[in-house]
Amino acid sequence: MTQSLGDLFLAAGLVSADQLRESRAHQRQRGLRLEEALIELGFVDEVAVARIVAKQEGMPFVDLAKGRIPNAVLERVSAEVALEQGVLPVQEREGRLFVAVDDPVKRIAAEQLAFLLDCEVVCALAAPSALKAALARYYGGRAEEDVERAHGGPESEADEAPIIRLVTRTLQEALAMRASDIHLEPMGDRLRVRYRIDGMLRTMADHPPHLAAPVLSRLKVMGSMDIAEKRKPQDGRIELEVGGLAVDVRASILPSNHGETMVLRLLNRSANLLRLPELGFEPEDYRWFQRLIGRPHGILLVTGPTGSGKTTTLYAALSELNRPDVKIITAEDPVEYHIAGINQIQVAPKIGLTFARILKAMLRSAPNVILVGEIRDAEAAEVAIQAALTGHLVFSTLHTNDAPSAVTRLLDMGVKPFLVSSAVQGVVAQRLVRRLCPECALEVEPTEAEIAFLGLERANLAGRTFRRPRGCRVCEGQGFRGRVGLFELFELDSDLRDAIFRGVSLEGLRELALARGRLQPLVVDGARKVLAGKTSVSEVLRVARVSP
């Protein structure tokens, strides 16, 4: 009777009974094969798994890390067939050709090869990563040429090329890991692939350097960019479906000293938009924000750096206001998510469809609420303010470091102080911090420096502890999983409007707002989320950019 795979691992002493039980539970939870679960949990490595699977399947095992395959053997199988089928010829003996595969299922390829080569073909099992590296090492150069030749058109053999499978797999993996963007960076000796997950970059793969050109060429084709242009920055857009999900990819290319670098920003259009209560507002902040967006007119600005969640906050506000009796029009670049019941317009500067021009046209359509994706220049700012002063509620974003700076940014653009003071109702400055993993976060006593940084008093912290990250399998050793918003809230009153009209400095405006209780600094919200165990002091320190 054939032993099960789990019994073989136990018999070989590679895992304990407890580890096997945990792996089977992980296997059921994640929908994996047992060997994949064992590797993912770190109980065994790929080579050990390949040896055991080969034994169970009655196949020979080959260690591709040892020795070098003769050229005469490699030439028995073309690069195209080897890379397409995922097989590597390793030895020829007594009229039989031995080929390495990474899955017993691929033994069907032996029949096809036997027919093509008119000889007996025997499959040997190898570790998947070892086979992948060996194929790149022995056939990589020829693969690049094949791919570049194949880029002639959508109906070419490129649809089945290894480079296309690599690009597809990279996109699938990034989406599965909740990545917001992918960074492809030639480093001279390798092509580095990094994903931004929960706002932090993580190196996920290092490919041989000769794959950089075909990978970027494939992505250029997908994004309708110029393949021949390698000296200038380029931008493109890719729309695709991955695993049943509609994904919009924004591609940006920048030439560097080792070749072109590419960043792919992933927008999952199938994802559900967050509602206001899910953004991370504390109860009193949520009530403040609801009150502000419930006003009939004026401008509400959301500020922060790229990737801080400004658009998500604005979409959540629009969803709250989206009713049959309210007409909402947006001007966006790009339209990231489609919301039923809202009129959304894509900015197109090449044909003169700028934010300012769309705004002027909007006002003739009698909207109640207007969203301007970003105020980029004085013309757009002035039209937005005129809209706010003529009975419209206007939402927009600015790139500033804090909430009061939004006012001075508008003044710097050339907008008159009396217009700014009359139109702006409030400003939300936000950042995203990583959430502590609930499975492994550790309670710790706060230090004096941490308490001082958060503006707290130790006397008021009796019985309260802070939490810090540790790392476990659930959070992939990071100590964090997901993100939550930190919000700085700034609301104008009559005294602050008068100060803006009189041209008070930014620092004076900030001090007056604090004294009037109209400004809640970012660190105050950070302190509340630290005390609630949602995040750590180090995360608040990272985004607040001040020293304790």
Side-chain angles (χ1 to χ4, degrees):
M1 182 177 175
T2 305
Q3 283 185 292
S4 70
L5 193 60
D7 291 337
L8 288 171
F9 279 108
L10 280 175
L14 294 171
V15 296
S16 66
D18 288 340
Q19 288 174 327
L20 185 58
R21 277 194 295 273
E22 184 178 350
S23 300
R24 281 176 171 152
H26 189 67
Q27 173 191 4
R28 289 190 295 271
Q29 182 183 0
R30 296 286 302 276
L32 306 171
R33 293 182 296 182
L34 178 59
E35 56 268 35
E36 292 172 332
L38 287 164
I39 293 172
E40 195 168 284
L41 292 174
F43 294 149
V44 293
D45 60 28
E46 279 190 339
V47 174
V49 166
R51 288 183 186 276
I52 293 296
V53 173
K55 182 178 179 181
Q56 185 193 42
E57 296 287 337
M59 298 173 65
F61 169 79
V62 59
D63 188 350
L64 296 175
K66 297 178 180 178
R68 178 168 179 82
I69 302 170
N71 286 334
V73 174
L74 292 170
E75 289 169 0
R76 293 283 282 138
V77 179
S78 70
E80 182 182 0
V81 171
L83 292 164
E84 171 64 29
Q85 300 294 333
V87 299
L88 178 71
V90 292
Q91 187 182 53
E92 193 168 20
R93 189 172 63 211
E94 298 175 357
R96 296 193 299 173
L97 180 66
F98 289 80
V99 297
V101 296
D102 59 3
D103 191 328
V105 174
K106 289 186 178 179
R107 279 181 288 192
I108 192 171
E111 299 175 11
Q112 298 171 349
L113 279 176
F115 177 77
L116 286 172
L117 303 177
D118 193 22
C119 71
E120 184 181 352
V121 177
V122 179
C123 287
L125 201 62
S129 59
L131 179 61
K132 179 181 175 182
L135 285 168
R137 183 165 68 251
Y138 292 117
Y139 289 116
R142 280 167 281 185
E144 179 179 340
E145 294 168 7
D146 291 344
V147 171
E148 288 177 337
R149 282 199 305 270
H151 277 153
E155 299 301 323
S156 69
E157 293 179 4
D159 291 332
E160 299 298 329
I163 292 299
I164 293 179
R165 291 205 302 272
L166 173 61
V167 169
T168 302
R169 189 166 64 246
T170 300
L171 290 166
Q172 289 172 336
E173 182 183 62
L175 286 165
M177 296 184 72
R178 303 175 297 108
S180 59
D181 43 66
I182 303 170
H183 295 248
L184 303 165
E185 302 161 316
M187 306 301 290
D189 60 339
R190 68 192 190 281
L191 173 64
R192 182 172 69 178
V193 180
R194 296 193 290 175
Y195 300 164
R196 191 179 296 279
I197 302 171
D198 292 335
M200 305 297 285
L201 282 171
R202 290 162 57 181
T203 300
M204 303 306 299
D206 285 316
H207 297 307
H210 63 260
L211 293 182
V215 166
L216 263 69
S217 292
R218 169 59 185 165
L219 287 164
K220 283 181 178 180
V221 169
M222 294 172 70
S224 301
M225 291 179 274
D226 186 352
I227 298 177
E229 180 56 72
K230 299 179 186 294
R231 301 166 300 168
K232 298 177 182 178
Q234 291 192 69
D235 293 308
R237 178 180 176 182
I238 304 168
E239 291 184 348
L240 66 157
E241 191 171 298
V242 179
L245 301 176
V247 181
D248 191 13
V249 183
R250 304 288 165 158
S252 177
I253 293 178
L254 193 66
S256 73
N257 57 333
H258 291 299
E260 293 174 294
T261 67
M262 178 179 278
V263 177
L264 303 171
R265 188 182 179 202
L266 308 177
L267 299 172
N268 182 0
R269 292 188 179 276
S270 303
N272 292 325
L273 288 171
L274 294 178
R275 300 185 63 80
L276 276 179
E278 300 168 331
L279 296 178
F281 282 114
E282 296 300 313
E284 56 269 38
D285 297 346
Y286 176 52
R287 288 190 291 272
W288 176 89
F289 193 75
Q290 276 192 312
R291 178 168 53 82
L292 219 62
I293 66 174
R295 294 183 178 179
H297 56 80
I299 290 183
L300 175 65
L301 296 169
V302 181
T303 76
T306 302
S308 60
K310 300 186 297 295
T311 303
T312 301
T313 299
L314 289 176
Y315 275 151
L318 291 184
S319 297
E320 188 103 346
L321 298 171
N322 189 15
R323 302 187 305 271
D325 61 327
V326 176
K327 178 160 186 173
I328 302 174
I329 306 180
T330 75
E332 305 172 63
D333 185 19
V335 176
E336 295 188 8
Y337 297 96
H338 298 287
I339 307 175
I342 293 179
N343 304 280
Q344 296 173 272
I345 303 170
Q346 170 74 52
V347 172
K350 289 183 180 178
I351 60 171
L353 203 59
T354 61
F355 279 118
R357 187 170 178 181
I358 293 172
L359 264 171
K360 290 175 182 176
M362 275 183 185
L363 298 180
R364 296 193 292 271
S365 300
N368 302 105
V369 180
I370 294 171
L371 167 66
V372 186
E374 183 182 348
I375 293 177
R376 295 179 178 173
D377 53 39
E379 186 182 10
E382 287 188 358
V383 177
I385 285 175
Q386 290 296 341
L389 294 175
T390 53
H392 303 87
L393 182 61
V394 181
F395 296 103
S396 192
T397 68
L398 280 175
H399 289 277
T400 63
N401 289 328
D402 59 15
S405 297
V407 170
T408 56
R409 179 80 179 97
L410 291 173
L411 296 174
D412 289 342
M413 285 182 178
V415 181
K416 301 292 190 294
F418 75 91
L419 291 175
V420 175
S421 64
S422 302
V424 177
Q425 298 292 329
V427 184
V428 177
Q430 69 180 70
R431 301 289 189 277
L432 293 176
V433 292
R434 293 178 291 172
R435 282 185 185 270
L436 284 165
C437 174
E439 301 293 329
C440 65
L442 295 174
E443 290 192 351
V444 293
E445 281 294 323
T447 65
E448 294 299 330
E450 289 174 333
I451 293 172
F453 162 64
L454 295 177
L456 302 172
E457 297 287 341
R458 183 172 286 279
N460 298 328
L461 296 176
R464 307 290 293 271
T465 57
F466 290 9
R467 302 173 79 202
R468 69 169 178 82
R470 181 176 62 174
C472 66
R473 293 185 186 122
V474 173
C475 60
E476 299 172 334
Q478 300 300 306
F480 299 94
R481 187 168 180 83
R483 290 188 287 177
V484 65
L486 295 189
F487 301 96
E488 179 171 280
L489 311 178
F490 177 49
E491 183 179 5
L492 274 67
D493 62 9
S494 57
D495 287 347
L496 288 166
R497 295 183 195 282
D498 183 59
I500 294 170
F501 182 72
R502 290 185 286 107
V504 171
S505 68
L506 173 60
E507 195 55 43
L509 191 65
R510 186 181 288 114
E511 289 176 1
L512 179 59
L514 285 169
R516 299 274 307 158
R518 297 292 181 169
L519 174 63
Q520 175 191 280
L522 200 67
V523 72
V524 171
D525 195 30
R528 290 187 299 193
K529 289 183 168 65
V530 168
L531 290 171
K534 295 178 181 177
T535 191
S536 67
V537 181
S538 61
E539 277 295 288
V540 178
L541 176 63
R542 178 175 65 84
V543 301
R545 289 190 174 91
V546 294
S547 301

